[in-house]
Amino acid sequence: MILTKTLAEYANKISFEDLPDEVVEFTKLCILDWYGSALAGKDEKPVQSIKELLNEWGGNEQASLVTGGKSSIGNACLINAAASHTVELDDIHKSSIIHAGTVVIPAAVAVAEAYQLSGRELITAVAVGYEICYRIGEAVSPSHYYYWHNTATCGTFGSAAAVAKLLNLSVEQTMYALGNAGTQAAGLWEFIEDGANTKQLHTAKAAYNGSLAALLARKDFTSASKILEGKRGFFNAMSEKYDPDKITMNLGNEFKIMENSFKIHASCRHTHPAMDCILDIMKENSLQHDQIQNISIGTYQTVLNITDNPAPKTVYASKFSSQFCAALIAVKSSASLSDFNEEILHSPTINELMKKVDVQVDPYFENAYPQKWGAKVIITIKDGRTFIESTDYPKGDPEKAASRKELIKKFKTMTRDKIQDAEEQVDAILRLEEIHVSEWIAMEVREESCKQPQ
C-alpha cells in the first residue's frame, strides 16, 4: 500500500453528499471560528509586517485579504493564515496537535473565491483537509512535536489536500500535491525561546505551500510518490517514532474534523487545562487571589517544553507562560483577548502571584497525552487549607464541547471592533451550503471597505 495514494484516492472520491449533516454543520462552525480569529488578528504587528511586504511585491487581484482589498491566491494565503494564528484563539486537535483551521481554511477560501466555487465545495474541501493533516499528525506525534511545529509541517498536507479537492484533481495529481506539500513541510519550535513572530510565518507558509503544491499539480508538476513512508520521506526524516496505521485506520468511516477542539482562553492550548481547574477552584470556593499561598500544577511534559516560562517579556510570550496564565485566571477570572495586554504583563499583582506557581510533570497526564490534555491543580491558601481540581479535557474539547451558541458569541466578541455587522457574517457562514463563496467574500470586502479612512 502506498499511503500517499490511499489519501489521494480518499480525497478524490468523497463528495458533499457523503458528509453527514452533523459534519456539514460542524465544518461551518470551524470556518466561523477561523474567520473570527483571522479578523481578530488582522491588525497585529506580525500581520501588518507581512502585509507591507506583500504590498511591495504586488499580486493579481484574485482573492480577498482580511486586512482589506485583494491580492493573489498566494498572498491571500499568507495574510489570512498568519492573521488567524496571531491572537491564540484558533482551533486545535489533541492527538495530532494541529491548528488545522489556520492553514486549511485560508488556502481553501482563497482558491474557492478565485475560482468562483460553491459553499458546498468549500465545506467538502475543508473536511478533507482536516482529515488528511490530522491523520498525518497522529502518525508522527508526539515525537515529531518536540522539534517540529505540527501545524506548520503536517498542516501543509492539509492545505494541499483541501485545494486539490477544490480543483477536482485526479488521484495522480492529488498525489503530486501531497508529495510536493511534504517536501516543503517545515517549522521549528526554536522561535518559542524568543517569543518571536515566526509562529505566524509557520501558518502563512503552510497555507501558501500547500496551495502552491496543489496548483502546480494541476499542471502535472510531479512529486515523490511515497512522501510519507519512503526511506527519505516525512516519517523517517522528521519523527523518532511513527505509526503508519494511523493514516488508514477507519479512513472513510469517520470524520476527524468532528474531533476538533475550540479555544475559550486566548493563550496556548497547553495552558488551558490548568486554567480551567484554577477557575473552577476560585469560583466554587469563593477564593480571592490575595489568599493564595501556592498553586501547584501537575501535567504532561509538553506543557513544560512549550509553556514553562516564569518571566515572559512580551504580551505574546505571556500567552505561552503557564505561570502567567495561571496567575491571570486566578486574578481576573478571565483570559480573553482583552485580558492579555501590556498593563497586565507588568502588573505587580500578577508578577507576584506568578512566583507562587509551580509546574511539574504528573505521570498520569504524561501517559495519557496526546489523547488527553489534562492537569491537576492544588491551590494552597494562607490559612493552610488546600483545594484540588483535575481535568482530562479543557473546555472546548469534544468531551467538554463548546456549544454553537458559545461559538457564535466567541465570534462576535473577537470581531467586535473589526466588522460592522457580525450577525450578517454569522448568517452567511452558517448557510454556506446554500451560496457561493464569492457571496460571503463580497460581504467581507464590503465591510472591510467601510472601515477604510475617508
Side-chain angles (χ1 to χ4, degrees), residues 123-137:
I123 291 166
T124 308
V126 169
V128 167
Y130 274 60
E131 189 77 26
I132 287 177
C133 71
Y134 283 171
R135 287 178 174 277
I136 293 171

Side-chain angles (χ1 to χ4, degrees), residues 106-253:
V109 169
V111 170
E113 180 189 4
Y115 287 88
Q116 295 292 304
L117 302 178
S118 70
R120 287 186 169 212
E121 290 170 295
L122 176 63
I123 291 166
T124 308
V126 169
V128 167
Y130 274 60
E131 189 77 26
I132 287 177
C133 71
Y134 283 171
R135 287 178 174 277
I136 293 171
E138 286 180 328
V140 297
S141 293
S143 68
H144 177 77
Y145 190 67
Y146 182 79
Y147 292 107
W148 300 99
H149 186 195
N150 290 22
T151 301
T153 55
C154 306
T156 308
F157 290 100
S159 59
V163 174
K165 184 62 184 175
L166 285 169
L167 298 175
N168 197 29
L169 298 189
S170 67
V171 171
E172 185 175 36
Q173 289 172 322
T174 303
M175 290 178 67
Y176 296 161
L178 294 174
N180 282 321
T183 206
Q184 296 179 88
L188 293 165
W189 268 114
E190 182 61 22
F191 75 87
I192 202 73
E193 302 297 328
D194 307 286
N197 297 151
T198 308
K199 196 165 189 273
Q200 285 74 59
L201 184 62
H202 284 181
T203 55
K205 286 304 302 298
Y208 178 96
N209 290 341
S211 297
L212 175 65
L215 287 161
L216 283 173
R218 194 178 190 220
K219 299 179 182 297
D220 294 321
F221 191 95
T222 64
S223 75
S225 60
K226 295 183 180 179
I227 195 63
L228 295 174
E229 73 273 32
K231 64 180 180 181
R232 287 176 286 191
F234 186 77
F235 289 166
N236 284 319
M238 299 172 75
S239 57
E240 292 181 4
K241 184 178 180 181
Y242 56 87
D243 184 356
D245 291 341
K246 294 287 181 68
I247 301 293
T248 56
M249 189 181 301
N250 294 322
L251 181 64
N253 297 317

Side-chain angles (χ1 to χ4, degrees), residues 7 26 30 90-105 126-141 150-151 154-159 161 243 246-247 254-262:
L7 291 177
F26 193 84
C30 292
D90 45 326
D91 65 9
I92 182 72
H93 181 249
K94 294 193 298 291
S95 56
S96 68
I97 329 177
I98 296 173
H99 301 273
T102 62
V103 291
V104 171
I105 299 176
V126 169
V128 167
Y130 274 60
E131 189 77 26
I132 287 177
C133 71
Y134 283 171
R135 287 178 174 277
I136 293 171
E138 286 180 328
V140 297
S141 293
N150 290 22
T151 301
C154 306
T156 308
F157 290 100
S159 59
D243 184 356
K246 294 287 181 68
I247 301 293
E254 63 181 2
F255 293 90
K256 287 286 181 182
I257 196 168
M258 298 300 292
E259 300 173 4
N260 203 41
S261 300
F262 298 99

Side-chain angles (χ1 to χ4, degrees), residues 257-278:
I257 196 168
M258 298 300 292
E259 300 173 4
N260 203 41
S261 300
F262 298 99
K263 285 187 178 183
I264 303 302
H265 310 305
S267 60
C268 176
R269 185 62 166 180
H270 295 302
T271 66
H272 290 201
M275 293 169 77
D276 286 352
C277 291
I278 292 168

